[in-house]
Every structure is written in C-alpha cells, then in structure tokens.
Amino acid sequence: MGKRALLLINRHSRKGEKSLPLAVEYFYSHDLELIIKPVKHPDELGIVVREYQHQIDFVIVGGGDGTLNAIVDSLVATNLPLGILPLGTANDLARTLNIPLTMKEACDVIGKGKLKSIDLGRVNGKYFFNVASMGLSVDITEKLSRGMKRRWGILAYGITALQVISSTRRFRATIKVDGEVFNVKTIQIAIGNGLYYGGGMAIAEDAAIDDQRLDLYSIELKHWWQIFPLIWGLPKGHHHQLDWVRSIEGKEIEIYTHKSYNINTDGEITTITPAKFKVIPHALNVFVP
C-alpha cells in the first residue's frame, strides 16, 4: 500500500495488551508505515488523531465499541478513514461490517484497502456508530465492570441484565419521530444506527449501517413475565412482533423526559435527556472485507 497510518490500541481492552506486536508484524507485511502512539485514556484518542491528521492517510483503532465511540468525533472532524481491529468484548461495529474477529484476518481487511461509506447517528452533538439508549441499558452499563467483561466476555451483559432488571422501573417519555409524537411509559428506549449492539443483538431485523435511517424501539412491558419472550426476540431483532415493544424508524428523533436520564452511546454514558437524534448519511469511510 505504501501508506502511513496512525495505530492506536486500547491496551485495557479485552485482548489489547497481547495484540500490538501481532498487529505491527501483519501491517508491515502489507508495506504499511505506522505511527504508533501510546494512549493512557480514551479521552486522549481524539487529541492524538488531530495532532497527527496531516501526517497520515488513515487511522487504525484496536479496541472495543467504547474505544471506537471515543474516537469517532475526531475522525469526522478530520475526514480520516478508519481501520478496525476488534479487540473488545462485544465488537458490535465489527459484526455489523462483517470484519473478522481474529487479528490476522482483521489486519488483512485493512491491508487490502477496500473502503465503505457508512452512516453515523448523532445525539446532542455526539456521534455514535451502533446504538444510543436510556433506561435499562444504562443501568447495565453502570453496573458492568471491566473485570466482569474480561472474565465472562459477552456473557457479562446477560449476567448483569439479570441482576438489574428486577429493580428497573418504568419512566415516562415523549418521543417525536419526524414530527409524529408518542407518549410512552417504558423501561428502555434504544435508537440504532447500525445493526448490532449489546454483544450481537439486532436493533431491527432489516437494519443496516448505510440505510440512512434510525431504528427506535421502546420496551413498554407491564408484567414481569413479558421479559421472557423479549429475551427470546431481542437477539435476532424480532422484538417488534411483541405488542409491548414499540418500533419506529425515522431520520430525526427527539426524546423528552420529566427529569434528566443518562444516555449511553455504543456502551459509554455520554449525554442526557432531553435529546435530539439525527442520522448523518455517508459520514465516515471504513475498511471492510
């Protein structure tokens, strides 16, 4: 390729520490020149990208969805393409883009140089790849520890969900989708840009990361037993078939609540309600198979 890339690996990610030497070896075999910059905290990622933006052709990020979420705003600002090394627990963006989860194959995808233009979601000025949500998912995020993710992998999400669901309470919200208004009482609202979130669950059966729309669902269950068919339907995106799950799609979404609720984007708590969401078509170029 004869190009120069900034390589950033989150060494705190599930497989990050062991992956750097392998990644360097594979990329050198693709005739790729690397700038390797150690980053101690995700907040520093955007600063590093802006610092080196005029010296590089693209950015390679090794980590999970949270690491990618931390860098997405700087990628949009600098208009640099993204290469992904899926080293996290869920790796939902990699799944959405069919990027292999093994190191050599993921490096080969970047080395071959095929780019795809993808959409991004944006909430209150913050970009996201996969999903933004509030309610139950935030409770899970706040309780889910790094140690549990390292120990149990994707199973950590299910274990934590079972721990918090009994204490989760419904909240009232007003949802506006492309001008249409819905008043709901819900335990979770999720707005997806891509296909997968939460370790491989589908936001909607036919969702895609380049369909120029957002997919919303609101879980409005009234009885505890309704959680069981929900658990069955969520992984494949079949939850829209349940009477107590509201599913809507649109380009612009607003959510208002009586008190402020935290919102997580790609698994990281980044903003609060009231919230304005928008799909940004063709916002970023990413290396894909």
Side-chain angles (χ1 to χ4, degrees), residues 3 25 46 54 64 76 78 98 123 136 179 200 210 221 237 240 266:
K3 292 189 175 183
E25 181 181 343
H54 300 300
V76 174
T78 57
N98 294 314
V123 52
L136 175 62
D210 57 355
L221 52 79
H240 67 280
D266 299 331

Side-chain angles (χ1 to χ4, degrees), residues 18-127:
K18 299 178 181 177
S19 301
L20 181 56
L22 286 172
V24 171
E25 181 181 343
Y26 290 141
F27 286 132
Y28 283 159
S29 71
H30 283 285
D31 193 27
L32 185 62
E33 186 179 346
L34 298 174
I35 296 176
I36 303 171
K37 185 74 175 176
V39 176
K40 294 181 179 180
H41 194 275
D43 291 344
E44 300 174 15
L45 290 167
I47 298 171
V48 174
V49 169
R50 287 177 171 86
E51 180 183 349
Y52 286 93
Q53 61 178 302
H54 300 300
Q55 303 175 42
I56 56 176
D57 298 294
F58 56 91
V59 178
I60 302 168
V61 178
D65 294 298
T67 305
L68 292 166
N69 185 263
I71 204 172
V72 62
D73 295 79
S74 62
L75 293 174
V76 174
T78 57
N79 198 31
L80 287 166
L82 169 66
I84 300 170
L85 300 179
L87 304 177
T89 303
N91 300 309
D92 287 306
L93 180 59
R95 295 173 193 272
T96 294
L97 296 171
N98 294 314
I99 294 171
L101 300 183
T102 53
M103 176 58 71
K104 183 180 186 306
E105 284 72 20
C107 290
D108 286 342
V109 167
I110 298 168
K112 290 175 181 176
K114 180 183 176 183
L115 288 169
K116 176 185 178 72
S117 177
I118 66 169
D119 305 337
L120 292 174
R122 189 173 66 196
V123 52
N124 294 347
K126 175 73 181 85
Y127 290 97

